[in-house]
Amino acid sequence: MPLALLALAIGAFGIGTTEFVIMGLLPEVAAEFGVTVPTAGLLVTGYALGVVLGAPLMTALGTKISRKRMLMLLMALFIAGNVLSALAPGFGVMLAGRVVASLAHGAFFGIGAVVAAELVAPDRKAGAIATMFTGLTVANVVGVPLGTWIGQSAGWRVTFLGVAALGVLGLLGVARLVPDLPKPEGVRLRHELAAFRNVQVLLAMAMTVLGFGGVFAAVTYIAPMMTHVAGFADSSVTWLLVLFGLGMVAGNLVGGRFADRALMPMLYGSLGALALVLALFTVTAHHRAAAAVTITLIGALGFATVPPLQKRVLDQAAGAPTLASAVNIGAFNLGNALAAWLGGLAIAGGLGWTAPNWVGAALAASALALALLSGTLERRAHRRQAAPAAPADRTPAPALAPR
């Protein structure tokens, strides 16, 4: 793989760290600013909404410049947002810093996926995308636990300054290692928007929302589920999340490898297995060892869908894929927010701490149904294109009888 992918992975590592590390630092942030923990939770919600809105906005704004330069500008925006958060004198300013940093998230991954795919041969595109996303998955194994520990030991402001430093490394890596690939000739914003008229692009994005949403329906409530149902101590939640992160790393790499060989079968298998494992989690959540194994599998199966889904969007929006790629990153975050809300409704409705697992299973099963529909439509289209045209009628006209 080209060294340029390392630069993209470093940027992804920083972005993944800043997205999730705040969850472990909410009590410290709330205490310093004198707000409640639920109010501090707006730092999570604001970031997610910023990703959903920022992905298409920033990508559209960057259509007139090269992808390398846009990636550099996005990393600069990410650095500025994290520095603003680290130095914030009040809660409102920190929330603004989180939103500024989030605006870079979707566009960086969306444009980065396009660049990664262009750096390698056609049969290695999903693997290249997976390499970039490895930075995001490793962030959940290393960056988030380390950032949480630093924040609790030296102060949360130090954590965000450290994340800004990661952004500087990512910026320097992009500047030095990513080639300045030429923009496709004649591609304008209207061509990027035209991709959304393709039903296969829309189906892929819907699969993204529902499939990865199924993962977050369960993981959002993993702390109360594991402490109240499985009987783990509060301190055990950190290493359970590390297991989830390790599963993400493995699933991402496997998904990228096999998506280059058989993309749709990879989606069918991973989404079907994810729905099954999430349903089983309602049972295994009552047993510590089984719960730990299941959490790892959820991370693996959930992220095994990411490279094939991202490549599916790129393939179906060929010619002008940048905006669609970025919007699909926003779709992951939209799925996270939707699933967390639905899982919370299930718990509030008195269905128990394991109820979000049923929600996640239903979402993943819905994504599988859409994948099967997408594959069916694609096969029908190929059959229509391959069908020979009806031969023209060459029967000679009857001769006129002589008078």
Side-chain angles (χ1 to χ4, degrees):
M1 288 290 178
L3 279 177
L5 295 179
L6 175 62
L8 296 175
I10 292 172
F13 180 83
I15 291 174
T17 300
T18 204
E19 180 180 16
F20 296 111
V21 76
I22 188 64
M23 298 177 185
L25 298 176
L26 285 182
E28 286 77 13
V29 174
E32 178 158 343
F33 289 132
V35 299
T36 64
V37 170
T39 298
L42 292 174
L43 298 172
V44 178
T45 305
Y47 189 96
L49 293 176
V51 174
V52 174
L53 297 175
L57 175 63
M58 299 305 297
T59 304
L61 291 175
T63 53
K64 295 185 181 298
I65 63 176
S66 71
R67 289 165 179 162
K68 174 177 179 174
R69 184 173 298 179
M70 190 60 194
L71 287 171
M72 293 172 64
L73 289 174
L74 290 170
M75 288 311 302
L77 187 64
F78 171 79
I79 295 166
N82 281 284
V83 170
L84 183 60
S85 294
L87 304 179
F91 180 77
V93 176
M94 184 178 185
L95 180 58
R98 291 284 293 169
V99 172
V100 169
S102 72
L103 294 176
H105 183 126
F108 182 88
F109 280 110
I111 297 172
V114 175
V115 171
E118 290 182 351
L119 291 173
V120 297
D123 62 345
R124 301 182 70 189
K125 290 182 181 294
I129 294 170
T131 300
M132 181 190 70
F133 274 100
T134 298
L136 176 63
T137 58
V138 172
N140 285 273
V141 180
V142 179
V144 174
L146 180 60
T148 301
W149 176 77
I150 291 173
Q152 293 172 344
S153 304
W156 60 266
R157 296 181 186 274
V158 178
T159 295
F160 283 96
L161 286 175
V163 172
L166 288 174
V168 173
L169 287 177
L171 174 58
L172 294 175
V174 170
R176 182 63 182 262
L177 300 175
V178 174
D180 200 358
L181 300 171
K183 291 178 58 180
E185 291 294 332
V187 176
R188 300 290 184 268
L189 180 58
R190 66 178 182 274
H191 301 118
E192 298 279 357
L193 292 171
F196 295 94
R197 294 199 295 266
N198 185 339
V199 68
Q200 291 289 7
V201 171
L202 299 179
L203 283 172
M205 291 180 178
M207 284 183 259
T208 297
V209 172
L210 296 173
F212 209 71
V215 174
F216 266 75
V219 174
T220 300
Y221 302 98
I222 193 171
M225 195 187 308
M226 291 298 94
T227 55
H228 289 76
V229 179
F232 281 105
D234 292 343
S235 58
S236 300
V237 174
T238 298
W239 69 261
L240 288 171
L241 289 174
V242 170
L243 290 178
F244 174 73
L246 289 171
M248 291 171 65
V249 174
N252 174 61
L253 296 175
V254 171
R257 182 177 181 84
F258 284 95
D260 278 325
R261 301 179 182 179
L263 191 150
M264 292 307 291
M266 181 66 202
L267 274 180
Y268 300 151
S270 56
L271 288 171
L274 178 62
L276 178 62
V277 169
L278 284 167
L280 288 175
F281 198 23
T282 58
V283 177
T284 60
H286 295 269
H287 309 278
R288 294 184 185 180
V293 172
T294 306
I295 289 169
T296 307
L297 288 175
I298 291 173
L301 293 169
F303 237 85
T305 67
V306 174
L309 283 171
Q310 199 67 21
K311 184 173 184 293
R312 179 73 172 170
V313 170
L314 295 181
D315 290 345
Q316 298 301 322
T322 309
L323 183 59
S325 177
V327 171
N328 196 52
I329 299 299
F332 282 106
N333 284 267
L334 180 60
N336 298 350
L338 173 66
W341 175 65
L342 292 174
L345 287 180
I347 293 172
L351 299 179
W353 290 112
T354 60
N357 299 328
W358 287 117
V359 173
L363 291 173
S366 300
L368 174 60
L370 291 181
L372 293 170
L373 173 62
S374 177
T376 300
L377 293 176
E378 189 170 48
R379 288 191 296 273
R380 287 179 181 174
H382 287 167
R383 282 198 296 267
R384 284 196 298 269
Q385 292 173 358
D393 187 1
R394 299 184 180 276
T395 305
L400 294 175
R403 299 189 175 207

